[in-house]
């Protein structure tokens, strides 16, 4: 759906999308082994996604309001099958339970013009729900849901027609995925196992970005430089949580790290030497660390 009426009093443009996607990945292998029994492996992964996104815009005298919502539900399924399963396993089995994964968000943003400056405040509401199904899965499962309100504030200064410094502060929210919360896979021959985490929390970020945008030779040469610093609470990371001699196998799990910082630099250059030909290049560098008990780890 698409609507546009620049003369309308309160809603000048709106667009909506309703979408449906079904995708399936299958990996099949048959092994003809000389000194051992032949075996097969049949792995399947399937997603059924349905969603709705809608966005509107209202132009006022010196400001422009944008608002919208996004809602999606993804049904995720996985299956491992075959013949002659590894030691300690039976076929068929599931690496994680079939799960309905729902994401929802709504936002409002205001672009306020004041001379050579643009002030852009915004606010977004985020929600996620993770509902696994016990059928066919032998491990422990957990249902999770959470929500957050994340503000954002941007400032653009049109210092000259060819140079625009800008700054942006924003909070972020990232929900854990089904395979991070509920999963179970063991390979005793190789000495490791992967387990779920019923206590995994959503990730929260606090981000600051400073940058410069400019153009030369009309619009033929455009460039951008930016630097950012992100601080995270409950950063999601997979790591080894135990192993020999305390446990027979190395145990891997997605966990939350309390203090994480990531900072970086980015540069972009876009050049249009002739009409119809665009050349672009980019460079980026980032570094980060987590802090536990006063010790920094890359």
């Amino acid at each position: 759906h698409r609507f546009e009426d620049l003369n309308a009093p309160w809603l000048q443009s709106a667009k909506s999308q309703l979408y449906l996607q079904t995708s399936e990945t299958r990996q099949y292998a048959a092994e003809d082994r000389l000194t051992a029994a032949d075996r097969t492996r049949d792995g399947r992964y399937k997603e059924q996604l349905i969603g709705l996104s809608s966005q509107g815009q209202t132009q006022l005298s010196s400001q422009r309001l944008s608002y919208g919502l996004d809602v999606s539900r993804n049904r995720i399924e996985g299956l491992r099958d075959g013949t002659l399963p590894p030691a300690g396993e039976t076929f068929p089995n599931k690496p994680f339970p079939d799960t309905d994964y729902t994401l929802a968000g709504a936002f409002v943003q205001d672009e306020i013009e004041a001379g050579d400056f643009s002030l852009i405040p915004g606010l977004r509401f985020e929600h996620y729900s993770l509902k696994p199904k016990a059928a066919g899965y032998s491990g422990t499962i957990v249902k999770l849901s959470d929500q957050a309100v994340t503000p954002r504030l941007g400032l653009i200064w049109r210092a000259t027609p060819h140079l625009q410094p800008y700054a942006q502060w924003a909070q972020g929210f990232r929900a854990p995925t089904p395979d991070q919360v509920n999963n179970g896979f063991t390979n005793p021959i190789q000495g490791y196992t992967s387990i779920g985490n019923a206590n995994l929390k959503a990730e929260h970020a606090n981000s600051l970005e400073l940058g410069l945008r400019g153009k030369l030779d009309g619009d033929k040469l455009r460039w951008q430089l930016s630097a950012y610093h992100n601080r995270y609470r409950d950063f999601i990371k997979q790591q080894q949580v135990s192993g020999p001699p305390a446990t027979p196998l190395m145990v891997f799990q997605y966990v939350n790290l309390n203090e994480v910082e990531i900072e970086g630099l980015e540069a972009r250059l876009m050049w249009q030497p002739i009409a119809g030909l665009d050349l672009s290049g980019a460079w980026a560098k980032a570094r980060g660390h987590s802090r536990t008990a006063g010790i920094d780890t890359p």
Side-chain angles (χ1 to χ4, degrees):
H1 162 262
R2 184 167 296 173
F3 165 80
E4 186 170 340
D5 183 358
L6 300 181
N7 297 317
W10 66 276
L11 180 64
Q12 285 83 39
S13 67
K15 60 181 180 180
S16 300
Q17 284 185 319
L18 179 66
Y19 54 90
L20 174 68
Q21 175 178 297
T22 299
S23 59
E24 184 172 357
T25 301
R26 183 184 182 192
Q27 185 179 36
Y28 179 82
E31 300 182 11
D32 181 7
R33 303 191 296 176
L34 291 177
T35 58
D38 297 347
R39 66 183 182 186
T40 61
R41 294 289 183 266
D42 192 2
R44 298 171 184 262
Y45 178 83
K46 185 177 181 179
E47 293 190 6
Q48 292 179 297
L49 176 67
I50 183 170
L52 169 69
S53 66
S54 184
Q55 184 171 327
Q57 200 167 86
T58 298
Q59 183 71 51
L60 304 175
S61 58
S62 60
Q63 55 187 308
R64 179 170 57 195
L65 284 172
S66 301
Y67 35 85
L69 60 87
D70 298 289
V71 182
S72 68
R73 191 214 67 188
N74 197 1
R75 179 160 292 173
I76 304 172
E77 302 173 359
L79 185 68
R80 299 176 67 248
D81 205 351
T83 59
L84 201 65
E89 284 194 65
T90 58
F91 281 155
N93 65 53
K94 290 181 174 291
F96 55 85
D98 296 344
T99 303
D100 285 344
Y101 187 45
T102 302
L103 298 173
F107 77 94
V108 59
Q109 175 180 285
D110 193 6
E111 299 176 56
I112 305 169
E113 303 290 341
D116 295 330
F117 292 89
S118 294
L119 184 65
I120 310 172
L123 196 65
R124 183 175 176 90
F125 171 75
E126 303 269 13
H127 171 80
Y128 84 93
S129 172
L130 196 152
K131 297 181 179 179
K133 297 173 170 51
Y137 184 71
S138 58
T140 303
I141 63 173
V142 61
K143 297 180 180 180
L144 283 182
S145 66
D146 198 4
Q147 56 275 324
V149 176
T150 54
R152 171 183 179 270
L153 182 63
L155 178 66
I156 301 174
W157 176 30
R158 291 176 291 278
T160 73
H162 305 293
L163 183 65
Q164 295 185 358
Y166 70 91
Q168 176 177 266
W169 166 79
Q171 290 187 352
F173 175 87
R174 187 167 72 95
T177 58
D179 63 302
Q180 293 172 341
V181 176
N182 296 307
N183 72 78
F185 178 76
T186 301
N187 190 333
I189 302 300
Q190 298 297 325
Y192 71 89
T193 182
S194 176
I195 62 174
N197 186 349
N199 298 313
L200 196 64
K201 301 175 183 177
E203 186 176 286
H204 294 260
N206 215 329
S207 305
L208 179 64
E209 180 180 354
L210 301 173
L212 288 171
R213 289 197 291 251
K215 56 185 179 180
L216 300 170
D217 193 16
D219 284 336
K220 290 185 177 180
L221 186 65
R222 302 187 303 278
W223 57 272
Q224 179 175 332
L225 298 173
S226 62
Y228 63 88
H229 182 86
N230 299 341
R231 298 174 64 93
Y232 296 88
R233 174 169 54 88
D234 294 326
F235 188 86
I236 299 174
K237 179 179 182 291
Q238 187 184 41
Q239 64 182 26
Q240 183 179 337
V241 295
S242 63
T247 56
L249 303 176
M250 292 184 295
V251 181
F252 292 88
Q253 186 181 46
Y254 285 95
V255 298
N256 291 117
L257 303 180
N258 288 331
E259 294 184 56
V260 169
E261 295 185 19
I262 299 176
E263 55 191 12
L265 300 170
E266 293 184 358
R268 297 180 182 273
L269 184 66
M270 291 148 282
W271 179 40
Q272 187 182 56
I274 59 174
L277 176 64
D278 291 315
L279 301 174
S280 64
W283 171 88
K285 183 176 182 179
R287 59 184 298 175
H289 67 268
S290 63
R291 181 170 298 161
T292 304
I295 299 176
D296 291 346
T297 302

